[in-house]
């Protein structure tokens, strides 16, 4: 299902950022990276660009999805299965070098197709963030790790914990003036420096936009804040409440500005998950010697369009969208106002979502179209179509395909075929409209075909196909009730309906009713009561008792619940992770926990300080699944006594 492809997002001040989510191809493999030379010894620092060269407006920044080169394939990791009992192994005593080498090894074995390794590495980085922040501290190891990460498959890694200390070293070596716009080229990196008053000390702060020159798409890899402390030391800190980057589009304003009227500048970042309706706004300011997200904790500033700052800088307003009717892609919208109060931007109570005044929402409001007489439904669509705009392409295509089906139901086959011919010239393969046209053309020439069969074919061809079999039957059974003088299944067969299941419904004080589920109606059941003198009264009913669909096949193992990953990555709460995993095991008795979930459980025990349980979890996973990425990662957390 297609979505509106363009997000228009406020660039701070008067700049407007327009981002289109287009795929980006992988980059060339970089040259062999330096492994032993500390950053401060690099001699190939290019000359600085004079500040005067920065007078032209700076381009807006789109750093995502991250596009990285491909690592050179490495031999498979192999920590053989343990050769001694569990009591001979203890939790590994990590040091900076050991952590860095394990991290590098994990990165170099990463492949774009191996979801387990990708998730495992993300969890490993989360462990480092919580337990060993700042690793690796050795400049040579940090440089080796950074270039391994830059060579990793696209859209798999968060490089911020490594690239920011690397850039911090560069700034401390070159000591550029943060009070003037500047561009620095250092080896494979270009830094754009935009002055910002972060803490009231003008000239001591800036936003730094980091570009990796081996990326042919010229996109930024990171946007960070930098400050010079009272001792003249440059700092590029990690952000508190960091925004997600893996699998996301990241958009930043070209320059920090004062969002709350306190005289200090803040940096705005918008994060958009591909396919999501809204982006999420983060506003970062310098507070208490670090970078803090100024959106109220636990709240999400979701929006589509352009934030509107109040004139007195006391807050801003966002237009938030929500998909109301997926079949038509009808969206509702509401305005949410955020006020600066007690050190955070806090949302004010907002009205409910209201459908937008679009073709999609007008036609969605006219549903169920297939329960109307075809002439009336066609007239309803024709009355709405003149108001279509270029943004209504999907709704207009759905309306056209719906009209085709309505003409068939109205015995206007020639009209329907003519409209299909017109649609086929513009329907692109792989799109919703392309699928619907192809499905129609694949069946239309079959003998003894009925409109209901075509309707069912369209409904099955795509999500929200351009017909509704049950709505069509509701109208047909009302206008042309089945005759009591003939078997029900013979009459429904002439409509093209195939019986999948039957039942007889008996209720005290009521005539027996025959209930039928047709193949073409999915899980929907119909009951036919002999209430008329000559005909049956048909109605849609709930599934009869005893005819419930067979429950899904029990899984072989328990996967990690999405809520557990959210607890780990978003809230950094391993206690919550353990509760979620425990609840999943309790509600699925007899189903073993999968290797990924077992590792997450052991890691969570490790993070909360439950050493015995962590050691036991790592050891059992390693001994039982040593040839899996999860077994290998578990093995890395243990050492022989």
């Amino acid at each position: 299902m297609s979505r509106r492809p363009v997000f228009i997002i406020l660039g701070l001040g008067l700049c407007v950022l327009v981002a289109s989510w287009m795929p980006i191809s992988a980059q060339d493999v970089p040259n062999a990276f330096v492994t032993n030379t500390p950053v401060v010894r690099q001699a190939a620092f290019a000359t600085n660009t004079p500040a005067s060269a920065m007078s032209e407006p700076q381009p807006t920044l789109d750093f995502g999805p991250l596009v990285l080169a491909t690592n050179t394939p490495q031999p498979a990791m192999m920590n053989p299965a343990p050769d001694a009992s569990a009591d001979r192994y203890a939790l590994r005593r990590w040091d900076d070098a050991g952590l860095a080498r394990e991290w590098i090894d994990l990165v170099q074995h990463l492949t774009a197709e191996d979801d387990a390794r990708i998730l495992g590495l993300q969890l490993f980085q989360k462990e480092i963030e919580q337990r060993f922040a700042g690793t690796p501290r050795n400049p040579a190891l940090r440089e080796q790790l950074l270039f391994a990460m830059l060579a990793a498959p696209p859209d798999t890694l968060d490089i911020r914990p490594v690239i920011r200390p690397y850039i911090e070293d560069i700034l401390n070596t070159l000591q550029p003036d943060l009070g003037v716009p500047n561009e620095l080229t250092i080896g494979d990196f270009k830094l754009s420096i935009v002055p910002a008053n972060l803490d009231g000390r003008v000239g001591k702060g800036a936003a730094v936009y980091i570009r990796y020159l081996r990326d042919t798409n010229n996109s930024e890899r990171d946007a960070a804040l930098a400050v010079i402390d009272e001792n003249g030391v440059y700092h590029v800190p990690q952000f508190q409440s960091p925004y997600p980057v893996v699998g996301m589009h990241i958009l930043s304003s070209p320059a920090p500005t004062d969002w709350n009227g306190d005289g200090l500048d803040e940096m705005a970042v918008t994060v958009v998950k591909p396919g999501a309706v809204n982006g999420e706004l983060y506003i970062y300011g310098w507070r208490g010697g670090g970078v803090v997200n100024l959106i109220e904790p636990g709240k999400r500033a979701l929006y589509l369009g352009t934030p509107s700052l109040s004139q007195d800088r006391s807050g801003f307003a966002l237009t938030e969208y929500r998909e109301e009717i997926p079949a038509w892609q009808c969206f509702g919208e509401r305005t949410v106002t955020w006020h600066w109060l007690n050190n955070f931007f806090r949302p004010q109570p907002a009205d409910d979502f209201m459908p937008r005044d679009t073709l999609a929402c007008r036609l969605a409001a006219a549903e169920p179209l297939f329960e109307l007489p075809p002439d009336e439904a066609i007239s309803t669509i024709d009355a709405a179509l003149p108001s279509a705009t270029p943004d209504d392409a999907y709704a207009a295509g759905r309306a056209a395909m719906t009209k085709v089906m309505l003409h068939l139901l109205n015995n206007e086959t020639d009209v329907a075929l003519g409209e299909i011919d017109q649609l086929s010239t513009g329907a692109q393969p792989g799109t919703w409209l392309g699928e619907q046209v192809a499905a129609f053309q694949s069946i239309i020439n079959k003998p003894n075909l009925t409109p209901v069969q075509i309707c069912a074919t369209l409904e099955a061809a795509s999500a929200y196909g351009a017909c509704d079999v049950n709505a069509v039957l509701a109208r047909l059974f009302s206008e042309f009730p089945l005759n009591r003088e003939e078997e029900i299944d013979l009459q429904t067969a002439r409509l093209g309906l195939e019986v999948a299941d039957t039942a007889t419904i008996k209720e005290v004080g009521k005539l027996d009713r025959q209930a039928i589920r047709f193949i073409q109606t999915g899980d929907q059941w119909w009951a036919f009561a002999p209430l008329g003198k000559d005909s049956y009264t048909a109605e849609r009913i709930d599934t009869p008792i005893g005819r419930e669909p067979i429950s899904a096949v029990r899984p072989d193992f328990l996967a990690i619940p999405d809520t557990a990953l959210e607890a780990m990555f978003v809230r950094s709460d391993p206690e919550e992770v353990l509760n979620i995993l425990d609840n999943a095991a309790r509600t699925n008795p007899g189903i073993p926990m999968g290797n990924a979930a077992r590792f997450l459980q052991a890691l969570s025990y490790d993070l909360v300080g439950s050493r015995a349980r962590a050691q036991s979890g790592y050891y059992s996973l390693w001994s039982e699944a040593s040839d899996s990425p999860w077994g290998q990662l578990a093995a890395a957390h243990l050492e022989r006594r």
Side-chain angles (χ1 to χ4, degrees), residues 5-7 9 16-24 58-67 209-212 215-223 243 245 247-254 268-274:
V6 177
F7 288 83
I9 299 177
V16 176
L17 171 60
V18 181
S20 179
W21 312 142
M22 300 297 290
I24 305 172
Q58 296 302 298
T60 56
L61 307 175
D62 181 353
F63 352 120
L66 297 179
V67 176
Y209 302 99
I210 305 164
R211 180 180 295 120
Y212 182 49
D215 288 343
T216 58
N217 67 341
N218 202 34
S219 65
E220 267 64 27
R221 287 306 185 95
D222 194 11
Y243 50 87
V245 295
M248 304 291 180
H249 293 285
I250 314 299
L251 299 138
S252 176
S253 59
V269 175
T270 297
V271 179
V272 183
K273 183 177 182 178

Side-chain angles (χ1 to χ4, degrees), residues 227-244:
V227 295
I228 306 173
D229 69 17
E230 291 79 1
N231 298 318
V233 178
Y234 289 71
H235 299 278
V236 183
Q238 303 295 333
F239 291 179
Q240 292 183 26
S241 181
Y243 50 87

Side-chain angles (χ1 to χ4, degrees), residues 246-488:
V246 176
M248 304 291 180
H249 293 285
I250 314 299
L251 299 138
S252 176
S253 59
T257 195
D258 182 3
W259 276 73
N260 57 9
D262 65 356
L264 302 178
D265 292 330
E266 291 84 30
M267 171 186 282
V269 175
T270 297
V271 179
V272 183
K273 183 177 182 178
V277 176
N278 298 290
E280 182 167 0
L281 179 68
Y282 296 78
I283 301 175
Y284 287 99
W286 188 267
R287 301 290 188 276
V291 182
V292 179
N293 180 21
L294 301 181
I295 299 296
E296 180 182 357
K299 305 295 184 181
R300 302 184 67 192
L302 303 176
Y303 78 105
L304 176 64
T306 304
S308 176
L309 276 70
S310 60
Q311 290 186 349
D312 61 0
R313 298 299 177 102
S314 63
F316 54 89
L318 302 176
T319 301
E320 183 181 356
Y321 284 66
R322 184 177 72 184
E323 191 171 45
E324 301 292 326
I325 313 293
W328 285 99
Q329 293 186 10
C330 164
F331 290 88
E333 66 178 19
R334 68 176 181 179
T335 299
V336 181
T337 301
W338 294 74
H339 285 319
W340 179 252
L341 181 65
N342 296 330
N343 298 319
F344 289 106
F345 288 107
R346 302 176 187 271
Q348 305 305 298
D351 295 332
D352 199 3
F353 290 88
M354 296 296 294
R356 302 184 68 229
D357 185 20
T358 61
L359 175 66
C361 292
R362 285 191 288 274
L363 290 175
E367 291 283 16
L369 288 167
F370 284 100
E371 289 190 13
L372 299 175
D375 282 339
E376 183 179 340
I378 291 169
S379 296
T380 299
I381 294 173
D382 285 341
L385 281 174
S387 64
T389 70
D391 288 339
D392 291 317
Y394 169 82
R398 180 178 179 82
M401 199 65 214
T402 300
K403 283 181 60 179
V404 169
M405 196 61 237
L406 289 167
H407 283 302
L408 277 180
L409 292 169
N410 210 30
N411 296 317
E412 298 170 327
T413 305
D414 290 343
V415 176
L417 293 176
E419 292 188 353
I420 275 289
D421 286 342
Q422 292 181 9
L423 289 174
S424 65
T425 61
Q428 298 298 315
T431 65
W432 180 91
L433 185 58
E435 291 172 348
Q436 291 288 288
V437 170
F440 185 96
Q441 292 174 329
S442 70
I443 193 175
I444 191 61
N445 293 319
K446 290 187 176 181
N448 303 318
L449 192 66
T450 69
V452 171
Q453 289 173 313
I454 299 175
C455 179
T457 299
L458 295 184
E459 196 171 34
S462 312
Y464 309 111
C467 198
D468 183 340
V469 173
N470 286 297
V472 169
L473 293 180
R475 181 180 58 81
L476 289 177
F477 291 149
S478 175
E479 294 180 355
F480 309 102
L482 301 186
N483 193 326
R484 291 180 61 179
E485 299 300 320
E486 187 179 6
E487 294 295 329
I488 292 174

